[in-house]
Structure formats: C-alpha cells, structure tokens
C-alpha cells in the first residue's frame, strides 16, 4: 500500500473583485531559465504560474541555473559572471558578494535547508569554488581546487557535481583513469581559511544531493550515502530504488522528504526512462512517468512536481499519485530550450 504523503495545506484561493470577476491566487510560482544557446546558457528568466500561464519575462545574460532560497520569497539566478536573488517576477536583482576572483560559474548546489549556495567556477581549465549564505548573500569561503586533468569525454564520462552539507562543500568530477574523484572543502575549527582535500578516487558518481542528513550519490550500482571521507558506501544503497544506475537526483516537497531519480534516456540508449519518486518511507519508489530529455524538475510544497522534459513543462500530482497511483499528468506549456526550474512563493497583494 502506498503511503499517503502529508503535506502542508497550501490551497488556492479565489478572490472575487467588486466587478464579479474571479482572480486565481497561486500558492507557489515557477521560475524557468529558457532560450538556451549552443553553449547551454540561457537568455531569459520566465516567471510562470503553476497552470503554465506567463507572469513575467526578463532578459538574463549567460543563465546557468535557478534555485529557491530558504524563505522561498525570492529565487536565486546563477549566471556565468555572477549570481543574485530576484523577486518571484524575476526583478530587483540583488547580487551575491564578490568571490575574490573573476568568476566563470558553471554549476551550483544548495544544502538541504537552502541556506547555503555553492558555486563552481571554471575559467580556462582552472576550477574554483565559493560558498555563500543564501539569505545574506555574503561570502563564507572561496578556494582554488587542485589541478584538474579531465579524461577524454565520452557519453559515459561522469559529470562534475556539487553538494553542500553545513559549511562543507563537496565536488565530484571525472577521474583521468576512470571513475570519479571527490574533493572536500571546509574551514577547520579555530581557523578562517578553507582547507581543500586532495582528490580522492571513488567509483563513478553521476549526481549528488543532500537528503535525510546525508549526502547521497547516484552511482552505477544504486543510490548510496557518502562516508565522511566522501566515498559512496555500498552498504547504504537505497533499496527503494534498487541496485541500478541513475543519472539525476532531486530533493523537495514538505520537509525535503521527496527524492526523485531518473536515468538519462540518451545514456541508456532508450526512447525514454522512468522518473521515480520516493517519499522516504515506502518500500519501493513509485514511477511517475516515462520521459525523455529531462532538463530539470522542482518539487515545491504544494503537492506537485513540475518537470522540464524537452520543450515541455509538465505537472504531476504527487499527493494523488503516491496515494492512488494516478499522477494526473498535464502539459502546462511549451518552452524554447528550457534549462533550469525553481519555485517561489509570490507575495499576494491584499
């Protein structure tokens, strides 16, 4: 029997104006980076309601990723040369602090509470990492990473991935002789300068996320927790997902209890692959849909999942799906080259 997921009540209110017309007030709002170019960078930040309707569109330069913040009243937009928080409408950019170097940001990650933002900069083969407070946008530390000697890229080369736990940053990247290597950056007690570990050789890691007080890694043999040194621990393989490979992991929902996983259909040489979702308690992760070309997804606290698959923005009813198996799928919009999606809580006007 599927366990009914308990979510906070975030209902949609209907406000009737004096003219008798009804205006829908949405509990959450979506922010999507779109119009990605050949280099994979986006030129627009679009604000959409959760029925796919357009709220606002603003131009961005070199868009990389969008992420929510702890209060969810603003959204983080990461660009190649900077990062800022914005309103749910994509306006009022407030920049993060200078990292102490000229950035070429390529990736971002957050801790489970969404209070820390880890950014990776890759300029002419030089990798640097910077950790910020998401709320104050202040720099906590920045560090030069050990020289990177990437292998020849193939369809199966592990990607570079980031994770944050507390004020500790983790960076996994492909290793020259196969598999991955992981680097740990932290500030030791009683000091102010970050300490960068030597790269540690580990099995291939395809994604990293914080979940349930641990950092989970997607490996070729299942989803496993990292040890304190950064190695995937095969004894912690999540049985709900089986001992199989996944390429992408996402966390969200109320109290971050939802864990989604997907195996790239391109890397698996299939037309599509199942998107699976676990509530942290069921014995088996549920299959939401079989999809191709998932670009990103977000799991707000409104009981839904919003998925960018190809050019489509799809919505699935997580609460209904986990309890009955009916995910009530709906395509909300067709977007031009969508790249990344996050959710915010719009401020309602009294």
């Amino acid at each position: 029997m599927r366990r009914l997921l308990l979510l906070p009540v975030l209902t949609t209110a209907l406000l009737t104006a004096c003219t008798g017309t009804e205006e829908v007030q949405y509990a959450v709002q979506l922010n999507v980076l779109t119009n990605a170019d050949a280099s994979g960078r986006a030129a627009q930040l679009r604000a959409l309601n959760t029925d796919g309707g357009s709220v606002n569109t603003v131009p961005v330069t070199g868009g990389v990723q969008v992420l929510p913040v702890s209060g969810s009243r603003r959204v983080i937009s990461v660009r190649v040369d900077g990062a800022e928080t914005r309103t749910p409408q994509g306006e009022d950019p407030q920049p993060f602090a200078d990292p102490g170097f000229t950035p070429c940001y390529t990736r971002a990650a957050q801790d489970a509470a969404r209070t820390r933002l880890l950014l990776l900069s890759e300029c002419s083969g030089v990798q640097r990492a910077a950790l910020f407070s998401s709320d104050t946008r202040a720099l906590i530390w920045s560090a030069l990473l050990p020289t990177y000697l990437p292998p020849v890229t193939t369809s199966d080369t592990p990607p570079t991935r980031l994770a944050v736990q507390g004020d500790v940053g983790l960076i996994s990247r492909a290793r020259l002789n196969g598999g991955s290597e992981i680097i740990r950056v932290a500030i030791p007690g009683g000091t102010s300068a970050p300490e960068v570990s030597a790269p540690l050789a580990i099995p291939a890691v395809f994604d990293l996320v914080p979940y349930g007080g641990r950092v989970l890694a997607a490996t070729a043999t299942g989803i496993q927790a990292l040890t304190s040194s950064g190695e995937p621990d095969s004894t912690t393989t999540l049985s709900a997902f089986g001992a199989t490979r996944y390429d992408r992991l996402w966390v969200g929902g109320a109290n971050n209890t939802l864990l989604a996983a997907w195996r790239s259909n391109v890397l698996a040489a299939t037309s599509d692959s199942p998107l699976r979702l676990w509530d942290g308690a069921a014995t088996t992760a549920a299959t939401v849909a079989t999809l191709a070309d998932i670009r990103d997804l977000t799991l707000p606290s409104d009981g839904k999942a919003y998925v960018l698959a190809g050019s489509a923005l799809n919505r699935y009813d997580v609460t209904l799906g986990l309890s009955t198996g009916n995910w009530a799928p709906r395509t909300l919009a067709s977007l031009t080259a969508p790249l990344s999606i996050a959710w915010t809580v719009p401020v309602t006007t009294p």
Side-chain angles (χ1 to χ4, degrees):
M1 178 182 294
R2 290 185 175 89
R3 178 176 174 265
L4 178 61
L5 184 68
L6 297 178
L7 294 168
V9 179
L10 289 173
T11 59
T12 300
L14 293 177
L15 301 181
T16 304
C18 60
T19 59
T21 60
E22 291 182 335
E23 180 185 358
V24 178
Q25 299 295 318
Y26 294 89
V28 299
Q29 190 167 284
L30 306 173
N31 294 91
V32 187
L33 283 175
T34 66
N35 293 68
D37 58 22
S39 67
R41 303 296 176 241
Q44 288 185 340
L45 176 59
R46 298 189 60 181
L48 305 170
N49 64 42
T50 49
D51 284 332
S54 180
V55 175
N56 195 26
T57 300
V58 296
V60 296
T61 302
V64 173
Q65 199 168 338
V66 285
L67 309 99
V69 296
S70 58
S72 301
R73 292 291 187 182
R74 294 179 69 86
V75 65
I76 296 170
S77 60
V78 179
R79 298 172 293 101
V80 171
D81 62 355
E84 60 269 331
T85 66
R86 295 172 179 261
T87 66
Q89 286 70 39
E91 300 169 335
D92 184 31
Q94 297 182 7
F96 280 81
D98 186 333
F101 55 85
T102 301
C104 307
Y105 292 136
T106 58
R107 298 184 188 279
Q110 294 175 296
D111 64 331
R114 302 194 297 273
T115 61
R116 295 291 184 265
L117 174 69
L118 178 64
L119 297 177
L120 177 67
S121 174
E122 300 178 274
C123 296
S124 303
V126 177
Q127 291 185 325
R128 297 178 183 269
L131 184 70
F132 300 86
S133 164
S134 297
D135 297 325
T136 67
R137 307 184 308 282
L139 178 68
I140 297 173
W141 54 251
S142 67
L144 174 66
L145 302 185
T147 301
Y148 185 32
L149 300 173
V152 176
T153 301
T154 69
S155 61
D156 211 34
T157 300
T160 299
R161 297 297 190 202
L162 313 178
V164 189
Q165 192 169 36
D167 285 343
V168 177
L170 297 169
I171 301 96
S172 72
R173 59 192 191 185
R175 188 171 176 81
L176 185 60
N177 296 321
S180 295
E181 60 186 24
I182 196 157
I183 298 165
R184 185 177 185 272
V185 185
I187 297 179
T191 66
S192 58
E195 183 177 277
V196 181
S197 72
L200 174 68
I202 60 174
V205 165
F206 303 101
D207 208 356
L208 295 170
V209 293
Y211 181 81
R214 306 180 294 179
V215 173
L216 300 181
T219 76
T221 56
I223 301 171
Q224 301 165 359
L226 297 184
T227 65
S228 58
S229 61
E231 298 173 279
D233 182 356
S234 60
T235 66
T236 65
T237 302
L238 295 182
S239 58
F241 289 93
T244 188
R245 172 174 165 174
Y246 293 93
D247 294 296
R248 296 295 308 273
L249 301 175
W250 297 270
V251 172
N255 301 314
N256 289 322
T257 55
L258 297 177
L259 175 63
W262 181 70
R263 171 81 164 103
S264 167
N265 64 291
V266 174
L267 299 180
T270 60
S271 58
D272 49 31
S273 293
L275 171 63
R276 305 188 67 197
L277 188 70
W278 186 49
D279 66 359
T283 56
T284 304
T287 296
V288 178
T290 53
L291 295 167
D293 192 21
I294 293 184
R295 311 291 183 87
D296 198 8
L297 67 78
T298 191
L299 294 160
S301 298
D302 66 345
K304 306 293 193 298
Y306 300 89
V307 183
L308 298 176
S311 61
L313 170 60
N314 299 327
R315 185 180 69 196
Y316 301 90
D317 192 320
V318 172
T319 305
L320 185 64
L322 288 176
S323 60
T324 69
N326 176 14
W327 299 90
R330 180 180 171 187
T331 298
L332 303 180
S334 179
L335 304 172
T336 302
L339 178 65
S340 179
I341 185 170
W343 65 278
T344 54
V345 178
V347 178
T348 57
T349 303

